[in-house]
Amino acid sequence: GKRSHRVYISVKVVNKDKKSYKVEETELTSENDTSTAKEMADKLNALFSEKVSKGYDIVVLPKDSTYTIDGTEGGLKIPSGLTVDLNGSTIKMAVSKGSSAAIVTMDQVEDAHITGGTLQGDRGESGASGAVAIRIRGGNHCTADKLIIKNISGNAYVTERVESKFSRLIADNEFKRAFSENDKNFVITSTPMVDLTELKKENGDAADYVMIGCNDYKKTVRAVSGEIYIDFYDSNKKLIDTVEGYQHRKTKIPADAQYAQAKVLGGLEGEDRIRVYFNELGENLEVTNVQFENIAGTAIEPTTFNNLLVKGCTFTKVGGRAAHISEGGQNGAGGGWTEAQ
């Protein structure tokens, strides 16, 4: 939150000695090649996985080629630790259906990158899907650089959260209301005490953080009071620390904490969707030197993330917005970021 007392810094150490693999055209196509769009996507994804397993950091595709893929299951899936250099080539998506349809997907990966070519969608074709160009779910240090993204029938660049199994509903009748002695209109709403043991068990190292708020895309932080205080307690329910922040923001859990209790400024009568939860947001993402052309929806639609750099991008014939960065109104009017830092 903007008035938090502590700042946590994540440092990424990058190995400068990169091992590169240059793909030969014959590895992907033959003289009488009849690969379907799905087979081509599978072939490229298998190639990426194989080269990462053999210690390669960069895969360079043949120069100025065109590969048509099926994006129904996410298209090209870039694994952790890999840079895909398109080398001037075009990845064209055949008409694809489904909520996961994309040309490129980075799903819960780290240090994954795509650069140097064109991602072409299916806008204007019969049965256009509304699929995205790049979808990033969770992850850390993922970049899109020096690309042309064009003819996209949906949004172009989308980030999404990865939901944890851990989610504890705080029911409306569990709220406790307290009034200031000096101001009867000043309301503090407190949650019951929540055991964090299961959160840590299910999420491993990621469970260093917790979130509290309306765990619902359609309800923005304005739906209830944004400011929040979280009390952390040890196994004997003795207070360790109180952290001031904002709903939906990642809040660091003290090392010895087992329980958490939140206090929100303002009444929450009738609100039954406030939860203590953990979602993995995409962190340290970059969209640089990208040309967005002929986009039906929004060029950059980041719904959830923690640190996003957009630099050197151009936008031509974008039907929606260049970037959807408004927080939105109460109950999600206007849409916007529900979880963003």
Side-chain angles (χ1 to χ4, degrees), residues 31-297:
E31 184 176 349
N32 298 311
D33 189 78
T34 59
S35 296
T36 65
K38 185 180 187 310
E39 288 170 343
M40 180 56 71
D42 291 343
K43 194 179 299 185
L44 284 164
N45 287 329
L47 177 69
F48 298 157
S49 297
E50 177 196 357
K51 298 311 172 188
V52 166
S53 69
K54 292 183 177 179
Y56 288 97
D57 306 288
I58 304 170
V59 168
V60 183
L61 295 188
K63 187 174 179 61
D64 299 331
S65 296
T66 298
Y67 302 99
T68 300
I69 66 167
D70 185 335
T72 301
E73 297 178 356
L76 301 188
K77 299 174 183 178
I78 302 180
S80 292
L82 184 67
T83 295
V84 175
D85 184 347
L86 298 179
N87 195 21
S89 288
T90 297
I91 304 297
K92 185 182 185 306
M93 186 180 67
V95 175
S96 303
K97 302 289 185 179
S99 59
S100 298
I103 303 175
V104 172
T105 298
M106 301 181 193
D107 191 351
Q108 304 177 68
V109 295
E110 182 173 354
D111 192 22
H113 316 276
I114 185 164
T115 184
T118 299
L119 303 180
Q120 181 176 333
D122 57 5
R123 188 180 187 189
E125 300 180 17
S126 176
S129 63
V132 306
I134 299 176
R135 172 178 281 110
I136 298 179
R137 298 184 67 248
N140 198 349
H141 296 280
C142 300
T143 68
D145 181 47
K146 298 183 180 67
L147 297 172
I148 297 173
I149 298 179
K150 66 180 184 179
N151 301 349
I152 306 301
S153 56
N155 298 320
Y157 176 93
V158 174
T159 67
E160 298 176 353
R161 65 187 179 184
V162 178
E163 295 190 18
S164 165
K165 295 178 181 178
F166 179 89
S167 181
R168 291 291 172 267
L169 178 66
I170 303 171
D172 180 53
N173 60 7
E174 292 181 303
F175 285 121
K176 300 175 183 177
R177 298 184 56 180
F179 294 87
S180 166
E181 290 294 328
N182 300 322
D183 185 356
K184 297 300 183 183
N185 295 319
F186 182 78
V187 181
I188 298 177
T189 304
S190 63
T191 72
M193 201 173 287
V194 176
D195 192 336
L196 300 174
T197 304
E198 189 176 347
L199 168 68
K200 295 181 178 181
K201 179 180 178 181
E202 291 184 357
N203 294 281
D205 293 340
D208 289 342
Y209 299 88
V210 71
M211 301 175 186
I212 294 181
C214 269
N215 190 11
D216 187 336
Y217 269 126
K218 297 180 180 179
K219 197 143 186 171
T220 68
V221 73
R222 293 185 191 178
V224 289
S225 175
E227 197 165 13
I228 195 167
Y229 298 85
I230 304 179
D231 295 333
F232 290 102
Y233 300 85
D234 63 15
S235 57
N236 296 316
K237 298 187 177 180
K238 180 180 178 181
L239 181 66
I240 297 175
D241 196 8
T242 298
V243 179
E244 179 184 0
Y246 278 76
Q247 291 183 50
H248 300 294
R249 275 34 174 190
K250 293 171 65 175
T251 300
K252 184 78 172 180
I253 301 174
D256 298 330
Q258 183 172 334
Y259 299 94
Q261 182 179 41
K263 295 182 175 68
V264 182
L265 302 183
L268 295 173
E269 297 90 342
E271 178 53 68
D272 60 0
R273 287 183 291 181
I274 303 296
R275 291 176 176 268
V276 176
Y277 67 101
F278 175 85
N279 285 335
E280 182 63 32
L281 310 186
E283 299 196 57
N284 307 311
L285 311 177
E286 295 184 12
V287 185
T288 54
N289 307 306
V290 176
Q291 300 176 42
F292 293 92
E293 303 175 4
N294 192 26
I295 311 298

Side-chain angles (χ1 to χ4, degrees), residues 300-337:
I300 300 175
E301 180 75 45
T303 55
T304 63
F305 64 90
N306 179 19
N307 298 328
L308 169 66
L309 172 67
V310 179
K311 181 180 179 181
C313 296
T314 61
F315 307 89
T316 305
K317 295 183 179 180
V318 175
R321 284 167 273 199
H324 190 183
I325 59 175
S326 65
E327 186 179 61
Q330 187 168 356
N331 295 321
W337 299 346

